[in-house]
Amino acid sequence: MAKKYYAYIVPDTGEIGVAENWKECEEKVSGVQGARFKGFSRKEDAENWLADGAKYESHAKKAKYISKALERGIYFDAGTGRGEGLVEAKVTDEKGKSLLSYILSAEEITRFGTYVIRDFSATNNFGELTALRFALEIAKKNNGKKIFGDSKLVIEYWSKGIMKKETLKEETKNLIKKVRALRKDFEEQGGYIAHISGDRNPADLGFHR
């Protein structure tokens, strides 16, 4: 697995830095209101993000530059980073427009176009799986055939029913079974799911681990 660096900033204390692993970063930002962090494959990029003010790039601005090269389809992602400690799931089109209204009520969708999993024990991987579930349900609603995400664990293993049962919570195992069934039906109808890098994913929340 490629090394990843995590840039972080804690406004209340003025602490700022680049951690060389997620555990080190988590100790700095977990549960801290207003803390910001972002993962990078290069330390230089992490340092540049901090130097530029540690701003989360707007999805509209990001989509402006990447949508031209993206296939038309449904994109999903999940992350934790608004300082509340809760995982959010997001599903968009190739332009970064949220598609959650196809399957969720307005009350269930945040002003950021995301769905919040109201469980502090939920992991980012559970969020990714939830987002793929939503993507599959949306595809069924609008006859979508292409789904993209940046979680290899969810795309290559969990959504195919491949898991280490002894290490997972019952809720996660049940969701894996549900997503597996949805994927099977989706693929039988001619759909496919593909991996895309996080920096090109228009559904990217900007602060996932």
Side-chain angles (χ1 to χ4, degrees):
M1 181 180 292
K3 185 174 179 63
K4 197 166 186 180
Y5 298 90
Y6 297 88
Y8 63 87
I9 180 170
V10 184
D12 287 350
T13 63
E15 189 170 6
I16 185 172
V18 177
E20 296 195 355
N21 56 69
W22 167 243
K23 185 177 180 180
E24 182 183 339
C25 178
E26 184 179 31
E27 291 175 352
K28 303 286 186 181
V29 303
S30 181
V32 181
Q33 187 70 31
R36 299 193 298 279
F37 61 92
K38 191 171 182 180
F40 298 88
S41 58
R42 299 195 313 160
K43 188 174 183 179
E44 180 183 2
D45 293 334
E47 293 171 341
N48 288 338
W49 183 70
L50 291 172
D52 287 339
K55 298 176 182 177
Y56 292 135
E57 187 178 37
S58 72
H59 295 295
K61 180 179 179 182
K62 183 176 181 179
K64 177 181 178 182
Y65 296 104
I66 67 175
S67 63
K68 293 180 181 179
L70 293 176
E71 287 189 66
R72 184 177 179 180
I74 300 170
Y75 294 77
F76 71 92
D77 187 38
T80 310
R82 294 190 205 281
E84 298 179 357
L86 292 170
V87 177
E88 297 176 47
K90 188 165 188 178
V91 182
T92 76
D93 62 14
E94 68 280 0
K95 296 179 180 178
K97 179 183 177 182
S98 176
L99 299 176
L100 290 177
S101 60
Y102 275 99
I103 57 169
L104 300 178
S105 67
E107 292 74 22
E108 295 175 288
I109 304 171
T110 72
R111 63 190 179 92
F112 304 106
T114 64
Y115 171 82
V116 178
I117 298 172
R118 300 291 176 182
D119 179 357
F120 285 99
S121 69
T123 64
N124 189 71
N125 289 330
F126 184 85
E128 293 275 5
L129 188 63
T130 299
L132 177 54
R133 171 193 172 181
F134 289 159
L136 287 163
E137 291 175 342
I138 291 168
K140 189 172 183 178
K141 282 267 188 178
N142 65 12
N143 199 34
K145 297 299 182 185
K146 302 175 183 178
I147 294 176
F148 304 90
D150 55 45
S151 172
K152 288 188 176 181
L153 173 66
V154 167
I155 293 173
E156 298 178 7
Y157 297 96
W158 281 7
S159 64
K160 295 179 180 179
I162 303 170
M163 57 178 153
K164 293 182 179 179
K165 294 182 179 180
E166 66 276 7
T167 66
L168 299 174
K169 293 167 56 177
E170 200 62 34
E171 184 180 11
T172 302
K173 288 187 283 188
N174 289 337
L175 183 57
I176 286 173
K177 292 175 183 176
K178 183 176 184 63
V179 173
R180 180 189 180 188
L182 287 168
R183 178 172 184 166
K184 184 175 183 293
D185 182 61
F186 173 67
E187 292 179 333
E188 286 177 349
Q189 299 301 315
Y192 74 86
I193 302 172
H195 180 267
I196 186 172
S197 63
D199 58 358
R200 297 190 68 245
N201 187 351
D204 178 35
L205 285 150
F207 45 66
H208 61 77
R209 298 177 193 175

